Amino acid sequence: MLIDSSVLHVREYNDEFERNYSFHWQDSQGTFLLRWDNAPHHKHLKTYPSHMHKNDLIEESDVISLKDVLKYITSCI
């Protein structure tokens, strides 16, 4: 839970061969705000496999670490 009562769900897996992540941000009521992940779809994006889900849009994203996500969220709240 963050200072504005929004919630950030963090899932990250790392081993010597791969890194998978998903950062899901929602408001205090559970309404989806943003999600960053590197699921291997949306190959047309320059930042593939990294991307951001915003409403019904999929966007390029260089936000790929928890530190990056927290910096982004801090700029929004």
Side-chain angles (χ1 to χ4, degrees), residues 2-60:
L2 304 175
I3 197 165
D4 68 344
S5 297
S6 64
V7 177
L8 178 64
H9 296 272
V10 176
R11 183 187 60 79
E12 190 164 10
Y13 172 80
N14 291 287
D15 69 18
E16 62 186 284
F17 302 107
E18 68 179 313
R19 176 174 180 256
N20 298 311
Y21 66 86
S22 176
F23 306 105
H24 178 95
W25 184 32
Q26 61 191 45
D27 69 16
S28 61
Q29 304 302 307
T31 303
F32 169 79
L33 297 171
L34 295 169
R35 184 174 71 247
W36 299 264
D37 68 74
N38 67 339
H41 46 265
H42 309 297
K43 292 183 179 184
H44 63 284
L45 298 176
K46 290 180 185 178
T47 59
Y48 172 83
S50 298
H51 58 279
M52 178 175 67
H53 298 258
K54 185 177 185 179
N55 299 316
D56 292 333
L57 302 173
I58 307 297
E59 299 180 2
E60 295 175 358

